[in-house]
Amino acid sequence: MNPQPLRRVLYPGIVLFVLVTMVLLGGITLRSTRNHIILSSIGIMEAHAQLLVNSISEELLENPEELQGYIKKLSDDTQLRITLIDDEGTVTAESNRDPATMDHHGSREEVAPALAGTPASAIRYSDSVGYDMIYYALPFGTGVLRTALPLTELTASLRSVTMHFSAALIIILIIALTALWLVISRIERPLRDLAERSERYAALDFSAPESTGSSLLEVHALSNSLDTMADSLQRQIRSIRRQRDELQAVLNSMSEAVIVLDARRRIIDANPSAQRAFAPTLECDITTVLDTQKLMDMINSTADDEVRRTGEIIHQSQVYQVSVTRLPGSRGFLVLVFNDITTLMHLERVRRDFVANVSHELKTPITSIKGFSETLLEANGEVDQARSKRFLEIIHRQTLRLQAIIDDLLTLSQLEQIDRLEEHHTPVRLVPLIQDALVICREKTRQIDRELTIEGDLQTSVRGNGHLIEQAFINLIENAMKYSEPSTPITISLSPPSQGELIITVTDKGYGIPPKDIQRIFERFYRVDKARSRTKGGTGLGLSIVRHIMLQHRGRVEVTSREGYGSSFSLHFPL
Ligand code: ADP
């Protein structure tokens, strides 16, 4: 149904109502007025007829000419048309016409009953005079006396009533329409205001003025309900916005990548972590970003049976733990959460390797100690002195080795636990520190006279932990002594600061490191030549400790080496 304006609906209805009411009222009034006039006319005619009957004498009836004249005179006096009709229906006297010209009247509606003795009346069109007449017939002797009155007066009265009614109708119509216009105007404007306000509220604009200014109670109530609705709407929107912001903040701060898919597997949202990891394009299919069969299987099975799926996938050599969840009540929306566990997996592998390596490293000296000590015990003092001395020396050497490994492991573990707080760092002059390290290394390697040259800026100092830096120099100088002939030179050069860092290099002319091993020598327990390292008392942890010490100083250690020509280890300290 097409909605219509209030005016268009009300105006025709009211006009129709007023017209029908007035027409009905007019009809009833006209009808009752007419009946009333006719009845009172008949009453007058009856009274006149009685008087006329009494005034006509027997003699007058004997003389037709005189009778005609008398009838005419009476008619003039009473304004009635008077007709005398004999028992055969023949007109014997007539006030308005010549009786000889008049036809038989015995069968007239009012005459017939009167001839039978009953007075009667009728209203009908008169052919004789040419308009509606009201007739009254009264038995008179053997005949009938009939009086007649033209209805023209009645018609005039009715016309006047009709005229008045029409005038009243028009006035009432004008008043009704004006009143209606006023009422509609009072309703229409506030209603239009309310409609406008609702539209603004629907567009989430709550700045509209609150009052309609209407004095109508119903409009006022409607306006109040609208305000209440707007208030509640505002509260709900605020709450939804807050929840959305909270959710957004959580998503933004998550280190896990989160992607939301619609039921057609298109990406409809991705948090910053997901943007960084996969650079997805919104509205695109998930396969344009991640096309692993395992993920597709998880997505498909989650979409089918609403269960949360988890699993691991590999994408561009990163390992992700993925969970796919179907959002309840969301027409098949899926939330994909990716947790990058590559580092975790790597650390786990490192941990496993480390435990295996430590066990392996400890096993050799312990087996040796166990074997020789058992031999000595089983011999029960029956071993010759030279042999038992050799056995005890081996046991001692292996014990030292165990101690060296454990010391290095403890150093590494301590290094991992020390926080990198620079407030613990102090300026450290390097030359005295290197000289101390040299003394210790000569002692350890039993190369008491080994030559070592320090060159460059001898006043150089760095900010750091002096004890740890000395440990780094000990490890590098000891390696340089161990993996070179004692006759070859070792140089430590302190280069001037350049490009924001200070570099100290320990160079030897020793055996060098093969290119295939050079990247791995900083790993724990990695040794190029295991046998050589072991005979030199190496643990395979020295360079790993150096690397950690440099990390503690936000620096790094680098190596260049050529097999058979020597190696160069440089410590880079940031300024
Ligand atoms: P180790 O206790 O065996 O010396 P490191 O971690 O100090 O362990 O060194 C790892 C390996 O790197 C050594 O086993 C050795 O093969 C090699 N290496 C270290 N320094 C040198 C060097 N100056 N010259 C040649 N090889 C070296």
Side-chain angles (χ1 to χ4, degrees), residues 479-480 482-483 508 512-513 521 526-529 533 538-544 567 569:
N479 279 352
K482 282 193 300 190
Y483 303 112
D508 63 67
I513 304 160
I521 53 171
Y526 191 84
R527 280 166 289 206
V528 177
D529 182 338
S533 164
T539 60
L541 294 169
L543 286 180
S544 182
S567 312
F569 286 83

Side-chain angles (χ1 to χ4, degrees), residues 418 424-430 432-434 436-437 440 461-474 549 552-553 571 573:
I418 294 174
H424 296 154
H425 289 179
T426 50
V428 181
R429 272 202 58 220
L430 292 177
L433 210 134
I434 294 168
D436 287 352
I440 294 168
S461 63
V462 293
R463 268 193 80 78
N465 182 325
H467 176 70
L468 292 181
I469 297 173
E470 185 181 324
Q471 181 66 55
F473 279 120
I474 292 173
I549 290 172
Q552 289 292 335
H553 290 80
L571 303 180
F573 287 92

Side-chain angles (χ1 to χ4, degrees), residues 40-253:
S40 52
S41 299
I42 290 172
I44 292 167
M45 287 163 78
E46 185 183 1
H48 277 87
Q50 286 293 351
L51 286 172
L52 290 173
V53 166
N54 293 337
S55 72
I56 298 171
S57 61
E58 285 291 327
E59 295 87 46
L60 208 54
L61 288 171
E62 305 280 305
N63 190 341
E65 268 182 34
E66 222 173 299
L67 181 64
Q68 181 68 21
Y70 181 68
I71 293 290
K72 258 199 171 126
K73 186 178 167 294
L74 285 177
S75 170
D76 290 342
D77 293 347
T78 60
Q79 296 296 311
L80 291 172
R81 181 182 164 192
I82 302 165
T83 313
L84 282 181
I85 302 157
D86 68 10
D87 56 347
E88 287 178 349
T90 309
V91 178
T92 53
E94 161 66 45
S95 60
N96 292 29
R97 283 178 64 186
D98 180 7
T101 61
M102 293 176 71
D103 56 1
H104 184 260
H105 268 51
S107 58
R108 292 287 195 276
E109 194 184 340
E110 71 285 359
V111 178
L115 281 174
T118 313
S121 63
I123 296 166
R124 94 187 115 70
Y125 184 78
S126 164
D127 290 328
S128 329
V129 289
Y131 42 76
D132 280 340
M133 297 286 283
I134 186 166
Y135 296 96
Y136 180 77
L138 187 73
F140 172 48
T142 55
V144 167
L145 181 138
R146 187 185 75 171
T147 53
L149 189 70
L151 268 180
T152 44
E153 265 181 53
L154 175 68
T155 315
S157 307
L158 289 179
R159 194 176 299 127
S160 149
V161 171
T162 311
M163 289 283 285
H164 281 101
F165 248 95
S166 303
L169 176 71
I170 289 168
I171 291 167
I172 289 174
L173 211 57
I174 289 170
I175 292 172
L177 289 180
T178 312
L180 190 66
W181 181 82
L182 286 173
V183 169
I184 289 176
S185 299
R186 278 185 70 185
I187 298 172
E188 220 176 26
R189 199 176 322 115
L191 278 183
R192 222 179 288 133
D193 282 355
L194 289 175
E196 206 177 289
R197 257 163 67 192
S198 323
E199 272 169 30
R200 267 193 281 221
Y201 292 163
L204 304 186
D205 171 11
F206 297 101
S207 60
E210 301 255 313
S211 172
T212 55
S214 168
S215 56
L216 291 174
L217 186 67
E218 290 79 1
V219 174
H220 214 69
L222 191 60
S223 168
N224 284 347
S225 320
L226 205 63
D227 288 343
T228 315
M229 192 191 79
D231 274 353
S232 135
L233 207 62
Q234 267 177 296
R235 266 200 307 279
Q236 284 181 30
I237 288 170
R238 269 201 299 273
S239 148
I240 290 169
R241 278 196 184 134
R242 201 179 46 244
Q243 284 174 11
R244 187 200 58 193
D245 291 348
E246 283 167 9
L247 185 69
Q248 204 61 49
V250 169
L251 283 175
N252 287 355
S253 61

Side-chain angles (χ1 to χ4, degrees), residues 504-524:
I504 302 106
T505 315
V506 180
T507 310
D508 63 67
K509 301 245 179 268
Y511 314 130
I513 304 160
K516 66 175 173 53
D517 299 303
I518 205 148
Q519 284 307 317
R520 301 197 59 192
I521 53 171
F522 294 100
E523 290 175 19
R524 289 167 188 184

